[in-house]
Amino acid sequence: MKRNFLLLILGLILLISCGGEKKEAAANGKDEKVTLKIGSWNDAGDALKKVAAAFEKTHPNVKIEIVESDSDYTKLTPALVSNQGAPDIFQAQARDFQSFLVKFPKQFYDLTEKMQKDGLVDKFLPASIENVKENGKIYAMPWDIGPAAVYYRKDMFEKANVDPKAIETWDDFIEAGKKVQAANLGVTMTGYSEDNDFFHMLFNQLGGTFVKDNKIAINSPEAVKALELLKKMQDANILINIKDWNGRIIALNNNKIATIIFPVWYSGTMVNAVADQKGKWGIVELPAFEKGGNRQANLGGSVLIISEQSKNKEIAYEFLKFALATNEGEDIMMEFGLFPAYTPYYSAPSFKVNNEYFGMDINSFFAKLTNTIPETNYGAIMLDAQAPLTGLTTSVLGGKNINTALKETSAAISQSTQLEEAK
């Protein structure tokens, strides 16, 4: 009886041991087949497909599936609410991640210890790493960012005898715009869209924040200053409403605007959408609000998150490292116009290349526009604040008093998020 009992115990130990080995093997993707599902969209999803193919070559037992998602998270949200069915890894816009942390607590894998051990925390831009933290813990890996600049038509500026590099302030920009328009019949200096992108860039440039001390803070001196500048541009007749994304492309193709105030990632759109204008565009840094002031701002960017639901967190983390913290992974990301938050890549030879369309090394140019980008606190509101924010610029440029517009926007965001307004 004792002998049989001991044999039974030994058998159980061996069974448990084998099970543990199988789980570890699956985690490392070495002996058992592992399938990773990654939720992403558009160009970002296409980039991940190519990165996945490269990763699978060195991890032959790992199969990666890119699951089509959307930037409104209509497929992801139900999986997080029900705590089942989420992809192992998924994308979120950087501005939305703080909302995710509040709305879906304990749904995201803590990367802090792993990233610290691998020495990665300090290798991402400070503003991007702060955005993925909660109570000092890191719950996502920064992906891409959107340092902004002024794209300008060389031929239009030359015809007006305007040196774009001599534009130091936004007041200089307005005066330059008047000259460019006078020399180029039917052309307007620049445009704004109803999604408030221009406002968001100016607001960030000034160090504005949407949430402060867990209160709605958009009704602020920075917001007033940004909207006053847009109104000043409109009053000088150098600003037109280009409506939306497609409206901007139409204006470009019809030679209707001389500049675009937008991030690095728009360069890829230009190469494809206005290919016949190759060689006609240059890029200079943003003007400052006052001489010697900050000339950097960010718009956009994404993060990659590992779900707590995932049964393959170890290999998921290895994929994140490969995709976002190696030169090989970032080489692929750059093919799709995804400008990295991972700063060591800025020194890679493959990063420093001449862009034939613009006739310059735009990667190195934009890399220099990342070191003084102010941190904007989006708080946990952006998933609920988009509707109130939409049309803010349009309402002001349509004649609404700036202070009134901001008060109404702040109150609407407060109502939709149930957060108090800052006094």
Side-chain angles (χ1 to χ4, degrees):
M1 286 289 290
K2 288 182 178 180
R3 184 173 180 274
N4 289 340
F5 180 74
L6 287 171
L7 288 172
L8 178 62
I9 294 297
L10 285 170
L12 287 171
I13 291 171
L14 285 171
L15 184 62
I16 292 169
S17 176
C18 289
E21 287 175 3
K22 285 182 180 180
K23 287 180 181 179
E24 184 64 26
N28 292 323
K30 292 177 180 177
D31 298 317
E32 290 193 354
K33 292 289 184 182
V34 174
T35 298
L36 281 182
K37 292 187 177 181
I38 304 178
S40 186
W41 60 82
N42 297 341
D43 288 348
D46 292 338
L48 287 173
K49 286 178 184 177
K50 192 166 182 179
V51 173
F55 185 79
E56 288 172 349
K57 288 180 181 178
T58 55
H59 297 75
N61 293 303
V62 177
K63 176 65 178 176
I64 298 175
E65 296 179 9
I66 306 302
V67 181
E68 185 178 348
S69 184
D70 61 86
S71 58
D72 293 323
Y73 316 111
T74 56
K75 297 178 181 179
L76 178 63
T77 299
L80 295 177
V81 170
S82 64
N83 197 25
Q84 59 181 357
D88 298 274
I89 299 170
F90 50 88
Q91 173 187 2
Q93 295 188 73
R95 71 183 186 191
D96 297 333
F97 187 59
Q98 290 296 316
S99 294
F100 271 72
L101 287 167
V102 171
K103 285 180 175 290
F104 312 111
K106 299 181 180 179
Q107 285 276 17
F108 315 115
Y109 185 47
D110 184 353
L111 303 178
T112 313
E113 188 174 324
K114 290 183 178 299
M115 289 184 67
Q116 287 175 342
K117 183 179 178 182
D118 291 331
L120 291 178
V121 177
D122 295 333
K123 293 182 179 179
F124 290 91
L125 288 168
S128 67
I129 204 73
E130 285 302 315
N131 190 60
V132 296
K133 285 183 178 180
E134 183 183 47
N135 298 324
K137 299 289 187 179
I138 300 170
Y139 290 97
M141 193 173 287
W143 187 351
D144 65 310
I145 58 169
V150 179
Y151 298 82
Y152 69 95
R153 276 284 294 265
K154 295 177 183 178
D155 52 339
M156 293 179 181
F157 273 65
E158 288 171 3
K159 191 174 181 180
N161 197 28
V162 172
D163 179 5
K165 294 182 180 179
I167 299 174
E168 296 185 40
T169 66
W170 285 111
D171 283 338
D172 293 341
F173 182 85
I174 292 172
E175 293 307 310
K178 294 175 182 178
K179 294 177 182 178
V180 169
Q181 291 179 189
N184 296 273
L185 188 64
V187 170
T188 303
M189 183 62 162
T190 197
Y192 72 94
S193 55
E194 295 174 354
D195 54 15
N196 293 313
D197 280 344
F198 203 165
F199 166 77
H200 279 273
M201 284 181 281
L202 296 174
F203 190 51
N204 175 246
Q205 183 183 2
L206 288 163
T209 189
F210 289 91
V211 175
K212 185 176 182 180
D213 299 326
N214 207 34
K215 294 181 179 180
I216 308 302
I218 189 174
N219 188 5
S220 63
E222 292 84 8
V224 171
K225 198 169 182 178
L227 290 168
E228 283 178 342
L229 173 60
L230 291 170
K231 188 69 171 65
K232 190 174 183 178
M233 287 183 180
Q234 184 189 53
D235 291 344
N237 295 315
I238 70 155
L239 184 71
I240 59 169
N241 185 353
I242 53 178
K243 300 294 184 183
D244 52 26
W245 183 273
N246 289 331
R248 184 180 288 105
I249 292 173
I250 292 169
L252 289 173
N253 277 299
N254 291 332
N255 300 295
K256 291 296 184 182
I257 51 177
T259 68
I260 305 167
I261 317 296
F262 232 32
V264 57
W265 41 257
Y266 197 68
S267 61
T269 297
M270 294 176 68
V271 170
N272 294 303
V274 282
D276 61 331
Q277 294 180 15
K278 175 182 177 181
K280 292 185 177 182
W281 288 91
I283 315 174
V284 292
E285 60 186 318
L286 293 176
F289 275 80
E290 59 283 319
K291 195 167 183 177
N294 177 49
R295 303 183 69 169
Q296 296 184 11
N298 181 76
L299 178 70
S302 297
V303 300
L304 283 178
I305 309 151
I306 298 176
S307 171
E308 268 292 354
Q309 298 177 31
S310 174
K311 296 179 180 179
N312 300 294
K313 297 183 182 70
E314 295 293 329
I315 196 66
Y317 175 72
E318 291 303 313
F319 177 80
L320 257 58
K321 280 202 303 182
F322 176 77
L324 306 183
T326 68
N327 288 355
E328 185 177 355
E330 291 293 4
D331 281 347
I332 296 172
M333 294 302 178
M334 288 297 293
E335 291 178 28
F336 292 83
L338 299 167
F339 196 85
Y342 177 68
T343 57
Y345 183 64
Y346 299 168
S347 300
S350 54
F351 181 77
K352 303 174 183 179
V353 294
N354 184 63
N355 184 298
E356 292 184 2
Y357 186 91
F358 294 98
M360 60 184 288
D361 175 3
I362 68 171
N363 295 341
S364 296
F365 172 81
F366 277 102
K368 293 177 181 178
L369 301 182
T370 62
N371 55 2
T372 62
I373 292 175
E375 181 185 345
T376 291
N377 183 5
Y378 291 101
I381 69 167
M382 297 310 286
L383 290 177
D384 301 305
Q386 288 308 303
L389 283 171
T390 298
L392 173 62
T393 300
T394 307
S395 68
V396 169
L397 297 183
K400 182 169 283 189
N401 176 271
I402 290 175
N403 290 315
T404 300
L406 284 171
K407 285 179 182 177
E408 291 177 356
T409 301
S410 178
I413 295 174
S414 176
Q415 184 175 10
S416 65
T417 62
Q418 299 302 302
L419 288 180
E420 292 182 30
E421 298 177 71
K423 302 300 182 183

